[in-house]
Amino acid sequence: MNKKRGFVIGRMQPVHNGHIEVIKKTLDEVDEIVIGIGSAQLSHTLKDPFTAGERVMMLTKALNEHNVDPNKYYIIPMEDLQMNAVWVAHVKMMTPPFKKVFSGNSLVQQLFEEEGFEVVRPPLFNRMELSGTEIRKRILTGGNWEELVPNCVATVINGIKGPERIKNLSKKELSDL
C-alpha cells in the first residue's frame, strides 16, 4: 500500500492543545504525518524559550497522552535557513517524502504551492487562547497556562524549570533594551 503522508510544521514554543488537535485532525486525512519542529536552532529567548530537544520531548509525550499511534508520525527538528527560495528543497531533504502540506502560515503555503504541493489550511482551535504567545505570557504573569497544554507538557515545562527560565529571560531582554 502506498501511504498518504502529510507535513505540518510549527515552532511549538511550547506544544499546546491546539497543536495536538491539528495533528489529530490531519491524521484523519493522511496515513502518516511528518511533524517539523520549526526554528529548531532557537532557544533561550522570550519568543523561543525551549530547545528543539525539549519540544520533541513535549510533543512525543503529548501525542502518547492523546493515544496517537507512534507508527503514524515522524518528528523532525527543522532549522531555519533564511533563504525562502530553497527552503522547500531543504525540508524535502530532511524528511520522508510527503505530498500534502497542512499549514496556516501564508508564507509556508506559498512556498510549497510554488513547488507543486497540495496545501491545506487546517482549522485553528480556539486560537485566541491556544497560542504559544498566550501561554508564554501567562507563564510570565503567573496566569493559568497549564490549562492550555496537555498535562504531560506542563510536567515537562515544570520539570525543566521553564517558568523560571522565561522569567529570567524577560529580565535579561528588558536589560538589553
Side-chain angles (χ1 to χ4, degrees):
M1 179 180 112
N2 200 355
K3 291 193 186 272
K4 287 193 315 188
R5 193 174 298 122
F7 176 71
V8 171
I9 190 162
R11 286 187 10 259
M12 306 196 194
Q13 288 280 17
V15 173
H16 56 68
N17 294 328
H19 294 129
I20 302 307
E21 291 304 317
V22 166
I23 290 165
K24 286 167 47 178
K25 188 80 176 145
T26 301
L27 282 169
D28 289 342
E29 296 189 38
V30 295
D31 301 311
E32 294 180 341
I33 185 170
V34 179
I35 307 165
I37 301 287
S39 302
Q41 79 283 5
L42 300 177
S43 71
H44 292 81
T45 67
L46 272 179
K47 185 177 176 192
D48 295 288
F50 305 109
T51 68
E54 290 164 346
R55 292 178 277 157
V56 168
M57 184 168 61
M58 289 176 203
L59 186 56
T60 302
K61 289 177 180 289
L63 292 172
N64 183 54
E65 183 176 297
H66 284 266
N67 300 309
V68 177
D69 182 350
N71 293 311
K72 292 188 174 270
Y73 62 84
Y74 306 89
I75 301 173
I76 301 175
M78 304 289 305
E79 293 183 15
D80 294 334
L81 273 189
Q82 308 304 328
M83 294 181 288
N84 290 337
V86 297
W87 183 69
V88 171
H90 175 71
V91 169
K92 286 170 53 179
M93 179 185 75
M94 299 296 293
T95 62
F98 57 89
K99 298 272 187 236
K100 208 170 191 179
V101 176
F102 298 82
S103 177
N105 180 301
S106 57
L107 176 61
V108 170
Q109 292 168 354
Q110 180 179 350
L111 294 174
F112 277 101
E113 283 171 353
E114 287 176 359
E115 294 298 320
F117 283 86
E118 179 183 353
V119 176
V120 176
R121 176 185 277 282
L124 296 176
F125 296 89
N126 191 9
R127 188 67 174 129
M128 293 307 291
E129 286 189 328
L130 292 180
S131 78
T133 302
E134 176 64 20
I135 294 164
R136 295 187 306 273
K137 184 177 92 179
R138 287 188 186 191
I139 289 172
L140 197 54
T141 61
N144 184 357
W145 59 273
E146 290 99 336
E147 69 182 354
L148 304 178
V149 301
N151 293 332
C152 61
V153 171
T155 300
V156 169
I157 290 172
N158 286 319
I160 61 172
K161 297 185 174 17
E164 293 90 335
R165 180 187 301 173
I166 290 172
K167 288 171 185 164
N168 285 335
L169 290 167
S170 75
K171 292 176 196 163
K172 180 201 177 306
E173 290 188 19
L174 284 174
S175 70
D176 287 348
L177 294 179

